[in-house]
Short mmCIF file of all heavy atoms in Angstrom, two decimals:
data_model
loop_
_atom_site.label_atom_id
_atom_site.label_comp_id
_atom_site.label_asym_id
_atom_site.label_seq_id
_atom_site.Cartn_x
_atom_site.Cartn_y
_atom_site.Cartn_z
N ASP C 502 0.84 -1.20 0.00
CA ASP C 502 0.00 0.00 0.00
C ASP C 502 0.89 1.26 0.01
O ASP C 502 0.65 2.20 -0.75
CB ASP C 502 -0.92 -0.03 1.22
CG ASP C 502 -1.93 1.13 1.24
OD1 ASP C 502 -2.34 1.56 0.14
OD2 ASP C 502 -2.32 1.57 2.33
N MET C 503 1.93 1.24 0.85
CA MET C 503 2.84 2.37 0.92
C MET C 503 3.56 2.61 -0.40
O MET C 503 3.73 3.73 -0.85
CB MET C 503 3.91 2.11 2.01
CG MET C 503 3.37 2.18 3.43
SD MET C 503 4.45 1.30 4.60
CE MET C 503 5.99 2.23 4.49
N LEU C 504 3.92 1.51 -1.04
CA LEU C 504 4.69 1.60 -2.29
C LEU C 504 3.85 2.06 -3.48
O LEU C 504 4.30 2.83 -4.31
CB LEU C 504 5.31 0.24 -2.58
CG LEU C 504 6.68 0.23 -3.26
CD1 LEU C 504 7.70 0.96 -2.41
CD2 LEU C 504 7.15 -1.19 -3.49
N PHE C 505 2.59 1.59 -3.54
CA PHE C 505 1.77 1.87 -4.73
C PHE C 505 0.79 3.03 -4.56
O PHE C 505 0.38 3.61 -5.54
CB PHE C 505 0.95 0.61 -5.12
CG PHE C 505 1.80 -0.57 -5.49
CD1 PHE C 505 1.43 -1.85 -5.12
CD2 PHE C 505 2.94 -0.39 -6.24
CE1 PHE C 505 2.22 -2.94 -5.46
CE2 PHE C 505 3.74 -1.48 -6.58
CZ PHE C 505 3.37 -2.76 -6.21
N ASN C 506 0.41 3.32 -3.34
CA ASN C 506 -0.69 4.26 -3.13
C ASN C 506 -0.32 5.50 -2.33
O ASN C 506 -1.20 6.17 -1.77
CB ASN C 506 -1.88 3.56 -2.46
CG ASN C 506 -2.36 2.36 -3.24
OD1 ASN C 506 -2.49 2.45 -4.47
ND2 ASN C 506 -2.59 1.24 -2.56
N SER C 507 0.95 5.82 -2.22
CA SER C 507 1.35 7.00 -1.46
C SER C 507 0.75 8.25 -2.10
O SER C 507 0.74 8.41 -3.31
CB SER C 507 2.87 7.12 -1.41
OG SER C 507 3.38 6.29 -0.40
N THR C 508 0.24 9.16 -1.24
CA THR C 508 -0.48 10.32 -1.77
C THR C 508 0.45 11.51 -2.04
O THR C 508 0.13 12.36 -2.89
CB THR C 508 -1.58 10.77 -0.78
OG1 THR C 508 -1.02 10.73 0.54
CG2 THR C 508 -2.76 9.85 -0.85
N PHE C 509 1.58 11.62 -1.33
CA PHE C 509 2.52 12.74 -1.49
C PHE C 509 1.78 14.08 -1.42
O PHE C 509 1.88 14.90 -2.32
CB PHE C 509 3.29 12.65 -2.84
CG PHE C 509 4.04 11.37 -3.03
CD1 PHE C 509 4.09 10.76 -4.28
CD2 PHE C 509 4.75 10.79 -1.99
CE1 PHE C 509 4.80 9.58 -4.47
CE2 PHE C 509 5.47 9.61 -2.18
CZ PHE C 509 5.48 9.00 -3.42
N LEU C 510 1.06 14.29 -0.34
CA LEU C 510 0.34 15.56 -0.16
C LEU C 510 1.33 16.72 -0.01
O LEU C 510 2.38 16.56 0.64
CB LEU C 510 -0.56 15.50 1.07
CG LEU C 510 -1.68 14.43 1.05
CD1 LEU C 510 -2.37 14.35 2.40
CD2 LEU C 510 -2.68 14.75 -0.04
N GLU C 511 0.98 17.87 -0.60
CA GLU C 511 1.89 19.03 -0.60
C GLU C 511 2.32 19.42 0.82
O GLU C 511 3.50 19.68 1.07
CB GLU C 511 1.25 20.23 -1.28
CG GLU C 511 1.02 20.06 -2.78
CD GLU C 511 2.30 19.99 -3.61
OE1 GLU C 511 3.38 20.29 -3.06
OE2 GLU C 511 2.23 19.61 -4.80
N GLU C 512 1.33 19.44 1.76
CA GLU C 512 1.70 19.86 3.13
C GLU C 512 2.66 18.86 3.79
O GLU C 512 3.53 19.24 4.57
CB GLU C 512 0.46 20.13 4.01
CG GLU C 512 -0.42 18.90 4.28
CD GLU C 512 -1.60 18.81 3.33
OE1 GLU C 512 -1.47 19.25 2.16
OE2 GLU C 512 -2.63 18.27 3.76
N GLU C 513 2.47 17.56 3.45
CA GLU C 513 3.38 16.54 3.98
C GLU C 513 4.78 16.72 3.40
O GLU C 513 5.79 16.57 4.10
CB GLU C 513 2.87 15.13 3.65
CG GLU C 513 1.66 14.69 4.46
CD GLU C 513 2.00 14.32 5.91
OE1 GLU C 513 3.15 14.45 6.32
OE2 GLU C 513 1.05 13.93 6.64
N ILE C 514 4.85 17.03 2.10
CA ILE C 514 6.14 17.22 1.42
C ILE C 514 6.86 18.40 2.09
O ILE C 514 8.05 18.30 2.42
CB ILE C 514 5.94 17.47 -0.10
CG1 ILE C 514 5.46 16.17 -0.77
CG2 ILE C 514 7.25 17.96 -0.73
CD1 ILE C 514 5.13 16.29 -2.25
N GLU C 515 6.17 19.50 2.29
CA GLU C 515 6.80 20.70 2.88
C GLU C 515 7.29 20.39 4.30
O GLU C 515 8.35 20.82 4.69
CB GLU C 515 5.83 21.88 2.88
CG GLU C 515 5.52 22.44 1.50
CD GLU C 515 6.78 22.69 0.67
OE1 GLU C 515 7.71 23.35 1.15
OE2 GLU C 515 6.85 22.23 -0.51
N ARG C 516 6.47 19.66 5.05
CA ARG C 516 6.86 19.32 6.44
C ARG C 516 8.09 18.41 6.44
O ARG C 516 9.01 18.58 7.22
CB ARG C 516 5.68 18.64 7.14
CG ARG C 516 5.85 18.59 8.66
CD ARG C 516 4.69 17.92 9.35
NE ARG C 516 3.41 18.56 9.00
CZ ARG C 516 2.31 17.89 8.64
NH1 ARG C 516 2.35 16.57 8.54
NH2 ARG C 516 1.20 18.53 8.37
N GLU C 517 8.07 17.44 5.53
CA GLU C 517 9.18 16.46 5.49
C GLU C 517 10.49 17.11 5.01
O GLU C 517 11.57 16.68 5.40
CB GLU C 517 8.82 15.26 4.63
CG GLU C 517 9.52 13.97 4.99
CD GLU C 517 9.35 13.57 6.44
OE1 GLU C 517 8.30 13.84 7.03
OE2 GLU C 517 10.29 12.96 7.00
N LYS C 518 10.36 18.14 4.18
CA LYS C 518 11.56 18.89 3.74
C LYS C 518 12.28 19.44 4.98
O LYS C 518 13.51 19.36 5.10
CB LYS C 518 11.20 20.03 2.80
CG LYS C 518 10.88 19.59 1.38
CD LYS C 518 10.54 20.80 0.53
CE LYS C 518 10.15 20.38 -0.89
NZ LYS C 518 9.77 21.53 -1.72
N LYS C 519 11.48 19.98 5.91
CA LYS C 519 12.07 20.54 7.14
C LYS C 519 12.76 19.44 7.96
O LYS C 519 13.85 19.64 8.49
CB LYS C 519 10.99 21.25 7.97
CG LYS C 519 10.46 22.51 7.28
CD LYS C 519 9.79 23.49 8.24
CE LYS C 519 8.47 23.02 8.74
NZ LYS C 519 7.55 23.99 9.21
N VAL C 520 12.11 18.26 8.02
CA VAL C 520 12.67 17.14 8.76
C VAL C 520 14.01 16.71 8.17
O VAL C 520 15.00 16.51 8.89
CB VAL C 520 11.66 15.94 8.77
CG1 VAL C 520 12.33 14.68 9.34
CG2 VAL C 520 10.40 16.27 9.53
N VAL C 521 14.06 16.57 6.84
CA VAL C 521 15.30 16.12 6.19
C VAL C 521 16.40 17.19 6.32
O VAL C 521 17.56 16.84 6.52
CB VAL C 521 15.02 15.74 4.72
CG1 VAL C 521 16.34 15.43 3.99
CG2 VAL C 521 14.12 14.51 4.63
N MET C 522 16.01 18.46 6.27
CA MET C 522 17.04 19.51 6.43
C MET C 522 17.61 19.50 7.85
O MET C 522 18.76 19.77 8.06
CB MET C 522 16.46 20.88 6.04
CG MET C 522 16.31 20.98 4.53
SD MET C 522 15.97 22.62 3.91
CE MET C 522 14.24 22.76 4.03
N GLU C 523 16.75 19.13 8.84
CA GLU C 523 17.25 18.95 10.21
C GLU C 523 18.18 17.73 10.25
O GLU C 523 19.20 17.74 10.98
CB GLU C 523 16.10 18.76 11.19
CG GLU C 523 15.32 20.03 11.50
CD GLU C 523 16.17 21.17 12.02
OE1 GLU C 523 17.13 20.91 12.77
OE2 GLU C 523 15.90 22.33 11.63
N GLU C 524 17.82 16.69 9.51
CA GLU C 524 18.65 15.49 9.46
C GLU C 524 20.04 15.84 8.89
O GLU C 524 21.07 15.33 9.36
CB GLU C 524 17.96 14.41 8.60
CG GLU C 524 18.61 13.06 8.72
CD GLU C 524 17.93 11.97 7.87
OE1 GLU C 524 16.82 12.21 7.34
OE2 GLU C 524 18.50 10.89 7.76
N ILE C 525 20.07 16.69 7.86
CA ILE C 525 21.34 17.11 7.26
C ILE C 525 22.19 17.86 8.31
O ILE C 525 23.39 17.61 8.46
CB ILE C 525 21.10 18.02 6.03
CG1 ILE C 525 20.48 17.19 4.89
CG2 ILE C 525 22.41 18.66 5.53
CD1 ILE C 525 20.05 18.03 3.68
N LYS C 526 21.54 18.77 9.06
CA LYS C 526 22.27 19.51 10.11
C LYS C 526 22.82 18.56 11.18
O LYS C 526 23.97 18.70 11.62
CB LYS C 526 21.34 20.53 10.78
CG LYS C 526 20.96 21.72 9.90
CD LYS C 526 20.30 22.81 10.76
CE LYS C 526 19.70 23.90 9.90
NZ LYS C 526 18.31 23.61 9.50
N MET C 527 21.98 17.61 11.57
CA MET C 527 22.39 16.65 12.60
C MET C 527 23.62 15.86 12.13
O MET C 527 24.57 15.62 12.84
CB MET C 527 21.23 15.69 12.86
CG MET C 527 21.48 14.65 13.90
SD MET C 527 20.04 13.60 14.13
CE MET C 527 20.28 12.37 12.87
N TYR C 528 23.55 15.52 10.84
CA TYR C 528 24.60 14.73 10.22
C TYR C 528 25.90 15.53 10.15
O TYR C 528 26.98 15.01 10.43
CB TYR C 528 24.10 14.36 8.82
CG TYR C 528 25.04 13.53 8.03
CD1 TYR C 528 25.40 12.27 8.48
CD2 TYR C 528 25.53 13.96 6.82
CE1 TYR C 528 26.25 11.47 7.75
CE2 TYR C 528 26.38 13.18 6.07
CZ TYR C 528 26.73 11.93 6.55
OH TYR C 528 27.58 11.17 5.83
N GLU C 529 25.77 16.83 9.80
CA GLU C 529 26.97 17.66 9.72
C GLU C 529 27.55 17.97 11.10
O GLU C 529 28.71 18.34 11.23
CB GLU C 529 26.68 18.96 8.95
CG GLU C 529 26.54 18.68 7.46
CD GLU C 529 26.19 19.87 6.62
OE1 GLU C 529 25.85 20.91 7.21
OE2 GLU C 529 26.25 19.78 5.38
N ASP C 530 26.72 17.81 12.13
CA ASP C 530 27.19 17.95 13.51
C ASP C 530 27.84 16.66 14.03
O ASP C 530 28.26 16.60 15.18
CB ASP C 530 26.04 18.30 14.44
CG ASP C 530 25.77 19.80 14.48
OD1 ASP C 530 26.65 20.55 14.00
OD2 ASP C 530 24.69 20.20 14.93
N THR C 531 27.88 15.64 13.19
CA THR C 531 28.48 14.36 13.58
C THR C 531 29.71 14.13 12.69
O THR C 531 29.62 13.42 11.69
CB THR C 531 27.47 13.19 13.41
OG1 THR C 531 26.19 13.63 13.84
CG2 THR C 531 27.88 11.97 14.18
N PRO C 532 30.84 14.75 13.06
CA PRO C 532 31.98 14.72 12.14
C PRO C 532 32.51 13.34 11.80
O PRO C 532 33.02 13.09 10.71
CB PRO C 532 33.04 15.58 12.85
CG PRO C 532 32.59 15.66 14.27
CD PRO C 532 31.11 15.52 14.26
N ASP C 533 32.39 12.41 12.77
CA ASP C 533 32.90 11.06 12.47
C ASP C 533 32.07 10.34 11.43
O ASP C 533 32.49 9.33 10.86
CB ASP C 533 33.05 10.22 13.75
CG ASP C 533 31.79 10.18 14.58
OD1 ASP C 533 31.01 11.15 14.50
OD2 ASP C 533 31.56 9.17 15.31
N ASP C 534 30.84 10.83 11.16
CA ASP C 534 30.03 10.34 10.04
C ASP C 534 30.30 11.17 8.80
O ASP C 534 30.51 10.64 7.71
CB ASP C 534 28.51 10.47 10.36
CG ASP C 534 28.01 9.26 11.10
OD1 ASP C 534 28.74 8.26 11.18
OD2 ASP C 534 26.88 9.33 11.64
N HIS C 535 30.29 12.48 8.98
CA HIS C 535 30.37 13.41 7.86
C HIS C 535 31.68 13.25 7.08
O HIS C 535 31.70 13.41 5.87
CB HIS C 535 30.23 14.84 8.43
CG HIS C 535 30.16 15.90 7.37
ND1 HIS C 535 29.39 15.76 6.26
CD2 HIS C 535 30.80 17.11 7.28
CE1 HIS C 535 29.53 16.85 5.50
NE2 HIS C 535 30.37 17.67 6.10
N VAL C 536 32.75 12.90 7.78
CA VAL C 536 34.07 12.77 7.11
C VAL C 536 34.04 11.66 6.03
O VAL C 536 34.75 11.75 5.03
CB VAL C 536 35.18 12.53 8.18
CG1 VAL C 536 35.12 11.13 8.78
CG2 VAL C 536 36.56 12.79 7.57
N HIS C 537 33.15 10.67 6.20
CA HIS C 537 33.07 9.60 5.20
C HIS C 537 32.46 10.11 3.89
O HIS C 537 32.82 9.64 2.81
CB HIS C 537 32.27 8.42 5.76
CG HIS C 537 32.95 7.74 6.90
ND1 HIS C 537 33.85 6.71 6.76
CD2 HIS C 537 32.90 7.99 8.24
CE1 HIS C 537 34.31 6.35 7.93
NE2 HIS C 537 33.74 7.11 8.85
N ASP C 538 31.51 11.07 4.01
CA ASP C 538 30.95 11.69 2.82
C ASP C 538 31.97 12.55 2.11
O ASP C 538 32.02 12.60 0.87
CB ASP C 538 29.73 12.53 3.18
CG ASP C 538 28.43 11.80 2.88
OD1 ASP C 538 28.52 10.65 2.41
OD2 ASP C 538 27.36 12.36 3.10
N LEU C 539 32.78 13.25 2.89
CA LEU C 539 33.84 14.08 2.30
C LEU C 539 34.83 13.18 1.56
O LEU C 539 35.34 13.55 0.49
CB LEU C 539 34.58 14.87 3.37
CG LEU C 539 33.78 15.97 4.10
CD1 LEU C 539 34.67 16.68 5.10
CD2 LEU C 539 33.24 17.00 3.11
N LEU C 540 35.09 12.00 2.12
CA LEU C 540 36.00 11.07 1.46
C LEU C 540 35.44 10.61 0.11
O LEU C 540 36.15 10.48 -0.88
CB LEU C 540 36.29 9.85 2.34
CG LEU C 540 37.30 8.86 1.72
CD1 LEU C 540 38.71 9.46 1.70
CD2 LEU C 540 37.32 7.53 2.44
N ALA C 541 34.10 10.38 0.07
CA ALA C 541 33.46 9.96 -1.19
C ALA C 541 33.68 11.05 -2.25
O ALA C 541 33.95 10.75 -3.43
CB ALA C 541 31.98 9.71 -0.98
N THR C 542 33.57 12.30 -1.86
CA THR C 542 33.80 13.42 -2.80
C THR C 542 35.27 13.47 -3.24
O THR C 542 35.59 13.67 -4.39
CB THR C 542 33.39 14.76 -2.15
OG1 THR C 542 32.06 14.63 -1.65
CG2 THR C 542 33.44 15.89 -3.15
#
């Protein structure tokens, strides 16, 4: 059901953008994780 019938409502998308941007900040605050992404680059 999740895979085939997701609604992707605009308000959910906007809310989740904020969540993911917080996740990015959290990730950049974790240097022992973030350094692995820098290595990929």
